[in-house]
Amino acid sequence: TNYMLEFSKKILSKVSFDKSLFKKELQKSTGWMSKKELMHLKIWALTAFAGYKKIILEVFDNIS
């Protein structure tokens, strides 16, 4: 389901005032998503939080 994706978006929006909190929550949410959901999350995050591009790319680059 897209529930986890939507849930992650909601959480990330709420913690976006704090870069380290944002990074922590983004790392957490990437742990339990499918590849397709991860792709959607990455695109959404880069679009919604362009100022956090470095953090977002770093988190997604470190997904094993």
Side-chain angles (χ1 to χ4, degrees):
T1 71
N2 265 353
Y3 172 75
M4 293 317 274
L5 179 61
E6 293 308 315
F7 179 73
S8 291
K9 288 180 180 181
K10 203 176 286 185
I11 298 293
L12 290 167
S13 295
K14 284 182 180 171
V15 300
S16 63
F17 64 92
D18 181 308
K19 276 191 176 178
S20 62
L21 202 52
F22 181 87
K23 183 178 180 180
K24 196 173 116 187
E25 289 300 329
L26 185 59
Q27 286 170 324
K28 245 197 278 182
S29 57
T30 59
W32 30 255
M33 280 194 197
S34 68
K35 283 203 187 308
K36 187 179 175 189
E37 286 176 319
L38 286 171
M39 190 182 67
H40 285 290
L41 183 65
K42 184 178 184 178
I43 293 165
W44 172 83
L46 287 169
T47 307
F49 305 103
Y52 287 12
K53 185 178 179 181
K54 194 171 173 244
I55 290 172
I56 296 163
L57 293 178
E58 184 187 323
V59 170
F60 280 94
D61 285 347
N62 288 320
I63 298 172
S64 47

